[in-house]
Amino acid sequence: MSNPLRIIISGGGTGGHIFPAVAIANELRRRHPDAAILFVGANGRMEMTRVPEAGYDIVGLDISGLQRRLTPQNLLFPLKVFRSVRRAGRLIEDFLPDAVVGVGGYASAPVLLAAASRAIPSLIQEQNSYAGLVNKLLGRRVGRICVAYEGMEKFFPVDKVVFTGNPVRAEIVGGNRAEALAFFGLDPAKKTLLVVGGSLGARTLNLATAAALPRLQAAGVQLLWQTGKLYYPEAKQQALPYGADGLYAHEFIRRMDLAYAAADVVVSRAGALSVSELTLTGKASILVPSPNVAEDHQTKNALALVGKGAAVLITDDHAAERLYDEALRLLADESRQQQLQARVRELARPDATTAIVDELLKLIKK
């Protein structure tokens, strides 16, 4: 009898890294119930709570990213990297993994470096249409790179790239609309707008949405508004007078399957996870890419959909004046909604998680 599979999954920082990582772990556990799976994250980041909530063990590294300006933290960055690589090496030597998966985020780099230096099979899961700096540097040192967009050979060795799509939480798909409307207390006769700024919230979307509450009420539109933790107290007060008309603010929507099922149109940032969820749920969407991300990769993610007629793009600096004009137009135009729905479904990769785990197990067998 062979020994149980042992896998380290590293990375995190945002839901866009954490949810795919957990999806990969769940698929591994489904195929190999006795597998030992260890997550490695960055201390102080959201993976340190979200991963245990999903039922997995996690170890934290003292690692953070480079700031965009000269700070004392930047001066300490090389020391933090050195210490994190050394700590990751000790973790690997203690855990003895069969393979290591990097999903992006601060903790991914030191763990992949430590694995590569010990000739342990390793795989990168690159979620975005524009590869991150760390993944580009590590691409030549890992065995496989699973990507979600075409043309990623311009960043990585062509013989290592496999087009799989992005892993998405299985529970995100298949929500029932009638159940969803009842769950959120919404009126089946009204149009529903879902606004999500990612797991951490989005200031631009929150400010634009707060300003648009009277317009949404006047148009008879219902609202599910995920604000994120920081803005929620203010948003809750702003939305309170409109609750009787079905306009609600939520700090975090846990039943996103029902939120998508209830929505006629979605307003969202263009993180890789959000884009993948929109393709799988087949939703008409308006994407407002965050300008505060490395290499402006959210704009590139959004353009990959817009170029195929699968979404509408509003830039962050135009959101205050244009976002809700466009949202109300789209909510009133069912024909256009249907066109966007049809195009975005063509881009879905429902088997992404299965394909990534297939590639990982092939690496181990090698």
Side-chain angles (χ1 to χ4, degrees):
M1 183 181 292
S2 60
N3 293 325
L5 200 63
R6 301 180 67 81
I7 304 293
I8 287 179
I9 301 176
S10 60
T14 67
H17 295 311
I18 297 165
F19 292 132
V22 170
I24 292 169
N26 288 343
E27 175 63 13
L28 281 165
R29 186 62 56 80
R30 185 187 70 79
R31 297 194 203 184
H32 297 273
D34 60 348
I37 300 172
L38 176 67
F39 280 74
V40 180
N43 284 325
R45 304 293 290 183
M46 64 186 294
E47 61 265 24
M48 300 307 293
T49 55
R50 290 288 167 82
V51 168
E53 286 173 2
Y56 295 98
D57 294 331
I58 187 167
V59 176
L61 301 178
D62 290 320
I63 184 71
S64 59
L66 278 167
Q67 305 298 309
R68 295 190 179 190
R69 61 191 186 282
L70 186 61
T71 67
Q73 287 82 3
N74 276 355
L75 298 176
L76 292 172
F77 181 73
L79 180 60
K80 284 186 174 182
V81 171
F82 174 75
R83 287 178 173 172
S84 294
V85 172
R86 191 169 60 180
R87 167 81 167 129
R90 287 199 298 268
L91 283 171
I92 285 172
E93 288 167 4
D94 290 341
F95 188 76
L96 297 176
D98 296 295
V100 170
V101 178
V103 296
Y106 302 144
S108 188
V111 178
L112 287 170
L113 281 169
S117 69
R118 289 161 176 80
I120 292 172
S122 52
L123 177 150
I124 286 173
Q125 198 269 313
E126 171 58 68
Q127 295 107 21
N128 292 293
S129 59
Y130 191 92
L133 176 61
V134 169
N135 282 351
K136 284 189 283 188
L137 292 173
L138 289 169
R140 296 189 179 280
R141 304 193 66 175
V142 302
R144 193 78 79 249
I145 303 151
C146 295
V147 301
Y149 293 88
E150 297 170 352
M152 297 299 285
E153 296 82 5
K154 62 179 174 283
F155 303 114
F156 301 119
V158 64
D159 59 319
K160 296 185 178 184
V161 172
V162 181
F163 179 60
T164 59
N166 274 328
V168 172
R169 296 168 284 179
E171 64 271 20
I172 213 77
V173 184
N176 177 277
R177 182 174 175 82
E179 178 192 355
L181 293 170
F183 180 85
F184 290 110
L186 299 174
D187 184 346
K190 290 183 175 182
K191 294 287 186 183
T192 301
L193 179 68
L194 171 63
V195 179
V196 284
S199 54
L200 302 177
R203 176 177 170 79
T204 299
L205 297 190
N206 287 336
L207 293 177
T209 302
L213 289 169
R215 294 181 65 189
L216 294 171
Q217 180 189 45
V221 171
Q222 300 173 124
L223 173 68
L224 294 175
W225 174 19
Q226 180 177 286
T227 67
K229 184 176 182 178
L230 291 177
Y231 194 76
Y232 177 66
E234 186 175 351
K236 182 180 179 182
Q237 293 304 312
Q238 291 167 328
L240 198 59
Y242 302 94
D245 295 301
L247 283 79
Y248 301 111
H250 302 261
E251 178 182 327
F252 184 76
I253 301 175
R254 297 199 177 276
R255 289 298 305 271
M256 281 301 296
D257 58 327
L258 297 182
Y260 281 123
D264 296 285
V265 171
V266 179
V267 171
S268 175
R269 286 302 201 193
L273 178 69
S274 299
V275 168
S276 295
E277 289 182 353
L278 290 168
T279 65
L280 282 174
T281 55
K283 288 297 168 179
S285 66
I286 301 171
L287 299 176
V288 186
S290 170
N292 305 312
V293 293
E295 289 97 14
D296 196 24
H297 66 248
Q298 285 203 10
T299 296
K300 298 174 178 73
N301 292 348
L303 289 172
L305 265 64
V306 172
K308 297 188 177 181
V312 177
L313 171 65
I314 301 287
T315 61
D316 191 84
D317 57 346
H318 288 144
E321 60 191 46
R322 291 185 49 202
L323 176 56
Y324 278 89
D325 290 342
E326 187 62 45
L328 288 168
R329 267 197 300 271
L330 184 54
L331 282 161
D333 190 341
E334 290 198 10
S335 175
R336 191 166 179 228
Q337 288 175 40
Q338 290 168 5
Q339 289 174 356
L340 291 169
Q341 290 165 3
R343 295 283 176 83
V344 80
R345 285 192 183 103
E346 293 172 359
L347 304 177
R349 300 283 297 191
D351 59 346
T353 310
T354 301
I356 290 165
V357 172
D358 286 346
E359 294 300 324
L360 183 64
L361 295 178
K362 285 179 196 172
L363 273 182
I364 294 170
K365 285 180 181 177
K366 272 187 175 182

